[in-house]
Amino acid sequence: MHKFLTPSLLICALSACSAGSPQIQNPASASNAITTSQSQTSPISPALQAIIDQSWQLQLSASPEMAYSMGDKSAAGKLQDLSPEALTKLNQGQIAVLTQLKALERSRLSKEDRINAQILEDQIQNDVDLYKYKDYYLPITAESGFHAYISSIAQARFNTLEDYQNYIGKLKALPTYFAQQTHWLKQGLAEGITPPKATLTGFENSISAYIVPVEKSSYFKPFTQYPSYFTAAQKAQLTQEGRALVSKNVLPAYQSFYDFMTREYMPNARENIAASSLPSGKAFYENRVRYYTTLNMTSTQVHELGLKEVKRIRQEMEQVIASVGFKGNFADFLHFLRTDPQFYTTSADQLLKEAAFIAKKADAMLPRYFGKLPRQPYGIAPVPAEIAPKYTSGRYSGSNRDDEPGYYWVNTYALDKRPLYELEALTLHEAVPGHHLQISLNSELTSLPDFRRYGYISAFGEGWGLYSEYLGLEAGFYQDPYSNFGRLTYEMWRAARLVVDTGMHAQGWSREQAIDFMASNTALSLHNVTTEIDRYITWPGQALSYKIGELTIKRLRAKAQQELGDKFDIRAFHDAVLENGSVPMRILEEQIDGFIATQKAKP
């Protein structure tokens, strides 16, 4: 998941839509979705439904994109209002809803409604917490920021005059949007709430990539390709208006932002990398640990678990090294993997084709392991060039339409840093049976209320992604020992995250110490190690989701296998994990306990 989501909503996946993270599909009945969220099979209690509806309206009011996709025509052509007044109003509304929710008599609710209430409370509490800790001062991370994600407005479908008029409205609103975001960056600078200076090296390149001649701007592209039925006069008028807006609104906004970042913000960003060094930083980080693990864990407990997992995985890695007859120590083997040309492609197309081949093999494994598969297909595309240099190796980008695919993004920047031995694990995680499968099935659960259909719980989603990498081992992937080492290095990567994230943010580790730990325990390229460490620094706690979620799913599977014996069915187990969408780990445990009881009762 990505941090730039509208509060609590899975509006745009790791991705292209607005925030670089999981996306939505259009609901079956958009007009109804504006006034009330979807109903579950057994009706939600009136008291809880009223709270859900109130919360949903708050979310829609905060996101014109979401509201418009749900059928609210009045939201067309608007961008999110990030003014102090708007954010204060949203926060006050969320506190009011949270108060009602906490006062609700849960003992009178059905089991399903208790789950709804708990997940909604977790979502709203997180939004309230982030406002309290002034997270809105940080609309950028080491990877990218609002300036890159907002460019996705140019990637919408343009089929009608209305589509172009809505887009023109957004281009007109863009200077205000940039000014509001810059206002919060200035507030953060004044109060010492900024990304650390070390993580912003090269950040200006992600801005200058948009400062180009009008005709080369991605914002102008919609005005170069019109539907065939548009008249010559319509095309001429739209092109003229589009060129003027890109020239007078878009490019100056990026230039002004570039000047501010390079002259004022980046030189004066904070030096200390730890979240605990921020105002109320220790409490903030422990809050992030609980949120991203969905468990009542402390940073110390997470750190110790990470060290234990690193030790276990390291032993498996040593066994693989011995199996290939490599002469040298662990560090020598890592150097070999990072530098030998046999492990790297020489063209972007070659890397994409290899990823596509693995993805197609992964598609074929699905019927053996899942009873229910999603309707939506997925494609493979490169990470957008504007953000690729500081971006991670790959991501899943879902679609917000039911007539479009999701996409598995592969980073084709710096090909000598994108090893093939990692590609099987990456593909299984981001495509299937990982994020695409899980997120697409989630969006098809029309019986769930919308805040759950379009929500994303990181421990569940990222835990499932990492579990999917492991599942490939059972499905016959990783036959090449180097690819299996790639799988282990990916698992080690996630285990090391538990160590370095808590180390940097709670235990005084330096950036260099974290880089050294990651580099000496994984086969990730040094470029990837550095970009990953900077990601953890500017997104505290999120990296803990993966291993905590995966270990929970593995533990629950082992429990089911032990208790069910011959009655255990892997397809039924996976369907049971995914059947209620994205849920906290404590609720998943209850869910699987119910599955075990049901299976035991069968003849």
Side-chain angles (χ1 to χ4, degrees):
M1 258 308 280
H2 202 285
K3 95 178 267 194
F4 297 99
L5 294 178
T6 293
S8 300
L9 292 179
L10 185 69
I11 293 177
C12 288
L14 299 159
S15 90
C17 193
S18 74
S21 285
Q23 303 185 0
I24 63 168
Q25 294 178 333
N26 281 344
S29 177
S31 59
N32 290 339
I34 294 303
T35 56
T36 182
S37 61
Q38 301 281 348
S39 295
Q40 57 192 31
T41 305
S42 55
I44 297 174
S45 79
L48 178 58
Q49 184 66 61
I51 296 173
I52 290 173
D53 291 344
Q54 188 178 347
S55 174
W56 188 242
Q57 289 302 313
L58 281 173
Q59 303 304 324
L60 294 178
S61 71
S63 173
E65 284 281 334
M66 183 70 164
Y68 181 72
S69 74
M70 293 289 181
D72 183 0
K73 300 300 183 182
S74 69
K78 295 180 180 179
L79 297 178
Q80 186 176 7
D81 184 359
L82 296 167
S83 65
E85 297 78 15
L87 294 190
T88 298
K89 181 179 179 182
L90 176 62
N91 177 248
Q92 291 172 343
Q94 289 170 329
I95 290 174
V97 172
L98 189 61
T99 300
Q100 295 178 51
L101 193 54
K102 288 183 175 180
L104 192 64
E105 181 53 64
R106 305 284 174 96
S107 63
R108 297 181 180 179
L109 298 178
S110 67
K111 180 180 179 181
E112 196 169 20
D113 273 355
R114 287 197 297 274
I115 293 174
N116 285 331
Q118 186 58 61
I119 293 177
L120 182 60
E121 181 180 334
D122 290 347
Q123 287 184 359
I124 301 174
Q125 184 66 62
N126 182 58
D127 291 336
V128 170
D129 289 343
L130 289 178
Y131 185 87
K132 169 186 170 184
Y133 291 116
K134 300 182 179 179
D135 188 66
Y136 51 94
Y137 283 9
L138 296 167
I140 62 173
T141 68
E143 285 186 326
S144 193
F146 73 89
H147 64 289
Y149 298 117
I150 194 63
S151 68
S152 65
I153 63 174
Q155 298 166 16
R157 283 198 172 188
F158 293 90
N159 294 327
T160 66
L161 277 174
E162 182 184 18
D163 292 336
Y164 279 91
Q165 290 163 355
N166 293 342
Y167 180 55
I168 286 170
K170 292 174 183 178
L171 294 181
K172 290 178 178 178
L174 203 68
T176 298
Y177 179 80
F178 268 68
Q180 290 176 340
Q181 295 281 30
T182 303
H183 166 77
W184 294 123
L185 288 167
K186 289 180 178 179
Q187 289 294 111
L189 201 59
E191 297 180 32
I193 304 176
T194 72
K197 184 184 297 185
T199 67
L200 294 176
T201 301
F203 184 87
E204 70 277 10
N205 297 329
S206 72
I207 310 172
S208 62
Y210 292 93
I211 305 173
V212 295
V214 171
E215 285 72 16
K216 293 185 178 180
S217 172
S218 61
Y219 285 96
F220 186 67
K221 187 175 181 180
F223 301 105
T224 65
Q225 45 193 26
Y226 296 103
S228 59
Y229 62 86
F230 277 27
T231 67
Q234 288 172 329
K235 294 177 183 178
Q237 181 180 350
L238 287 171
T239 301
Q240 181 180 4
E241 188 168 9
R243 181 178 285 108
L245 285 169
V246 174
S247 176
K248 297 178 181 178
N249 280 24
V250 177
L251 297 180
Y254 277 93
Q255 185 64 59
S256 178
F257 182 51
Y258 179 90
D259 293 342
F260 165 70
M261 289 297 295
T262 55
R263 297 173 185 174
E264 185 176 347
Y265 194 85
M266 292 167 61
N268 296 296
R270 67 186 170 102
E271 299 288 345
N272 196 311
I273 65 168
S276 57
S277 71
L278 294 168
S280 304
K282 290 183 179 180
F284 168 65
Y285 185 64
E286 294 300 331
N287 176 280
R288 295 298 82 199
V289 171
R290 291 190 298 274
Y291 174 72
Y292 282 114
T293 64
T294 68
L295 298 170
N296 192 27
M297 297 184 74
T298 66
S299 62
T300 300
Q301 290 172 324
V302 171
H303 189 83
E304 292 173 351
L305 176 61
L307 290 172
K308 181 180 178 181
E309 280 290 284
V310 166
K311 182 179 180 181
R312 177 187 63 79
I313 299 166
R314 178 64 174 265
Q315 292 173 345
E316 291 189 43
M317 296 172 89
E318 296 282 5
Q319 292 171 4
V320 174
I321 295 173
S323 73
V324 299
F326 182 81
K327 304 301 182 184
N329 60 27
F330 190 80
D332 294 334
F333 189 70
L334 296 187
H335 178 75
F336 163 65
L337 292 179
R338 288 171 179 149
T339 58
D340 195 298
Q342 70 174 301
F343 299 121
Y344 299 88
T345 63
T346 56
S347 74
D349 282 348
Q350 191 179 354
L351 182 62
L352 291 170
K353 287 177 180 178
E354 185 65 27
F357 177 64
I358 296 169
K360 203 59 189 173
K361 289 197 296 182
D363 286 342
M365 72 177 268
L366 298 181
R368 283 181 285 154
Y369 292 92
F370 300 89
K372 183 176 182 182
L373 298 176
R375 170 191 176 275
Q376 187 185 50
Y378 66 96
I380 296 173
V383 170
E386 297 89 348
I387 60 174
K390 289 174 70 66
Y391 211 68
T392 191
S393 299
R395 282 252 169 98
Y396 175 70
S397 171
S399 171
N400 65 342
R401 300 175 61 102
D402 62 7
D403 59 350
E404 290 181 347
Y407 277 96
Y408 160 33
W409 282 5
V410 179
N411 199 331
T412 56
Y413 173 83
L415 289 171
D416 60 340
K417 307 297 189 293
R418 312 295 174 192
L420 292 171
Y421 54 77
E422 295 175 355
L423 202 55
E424 281 190 314
L426 177 66
T427 303
L428 295 174
H429 183 111
E430 302 296 344
V432 296
H435 286 322
H436 173 72
L437 177 77
Q438 181 259 314
I439 290 171
S440 297
L441 285 175
N442 197 121
S443 66
E444 292 176 12
L445 295 173
T446 55
S447 62
L448 294 181
D450 286 337
F451 76 90
R452 288 183 60 187
R453 282 184 68 199
Y454 308 134
Y456 188 83
I457 296 172
S458 193
F460 184 91
E462 302 303 345
W464 177 260
L466 183 50
Y467 171 78
S468 295
E469 296 175 27
Y470 162 78
L471 192 59
L473 192 62
E474 296 182 18
F477 287 81
Y478 316 116
Q479 293 300 305
D480 181 89
Y482 295 109
S483 182
N484 191 35
F485 193 89
R487 174 189 69 82
L488 287 168
T489 205
Y490 262 39
E491 186 181 9
M492 176 68 88
W493 174 20
R494 279 43 168 267
R497 284 173 170 177
L498 303 183
V499 180
V500 299
D501 196 287
T502 53
M504 291 187 294
H505 292 301
Q507 300 194 15
W509 281 33
S510 67
R511 178 171 177 264
E512 291 70 28
Q513 187 177 356
I515 289 173
D516 289 345
F517 185 89
M518 184 76 77
S520 63
N521 283 290
T522 76
L524 294 173
S525 70
L526 297 181
H527 173 82
N528 280 350
V529 167
T530 302
T531 58
E532 285 296 313
I533 292 299
D534 286 347
R535 170 189 163 192
Y536 311 151
I537 293 172
T538 56
W539 199 357
Q542 190 273 344
L544 310 180
S545 305
Y546 302 72
K547 218 14 165 141
I548 298 298
E550 181 235 16
L551 288 173
T552 302
I553 295 171
K554 279 185 173 179
R555 177 176 58 80
L556 293 175
R557 174 176 165 174
K559 180 180 181 180
Q561 287 176 305
Q562 181 178 1
E563 294 198 24
L564 293 176
D566 292 341
K567 285 188 174 183
F568 179 79
D569 180 342
I570 189 63
R571 299 170 84 223
F573 172 77
H574 289 151
D575 289 350
V577 171
L578 300 172
E579 69 179 353
N580 288 322
S582 191
V583 296
M585 294 298 97
R586 60 190 182 278
I587 291 177
L588 180 62
E589 178 132 20
E590 296 175 4
Q591 195 168 298
I592 297 305
D593 285 344
F595 163 76
I596 293 171
T598 300
Q599 297 298 108
K600 281 183 176 180
K602 289 183 177 180

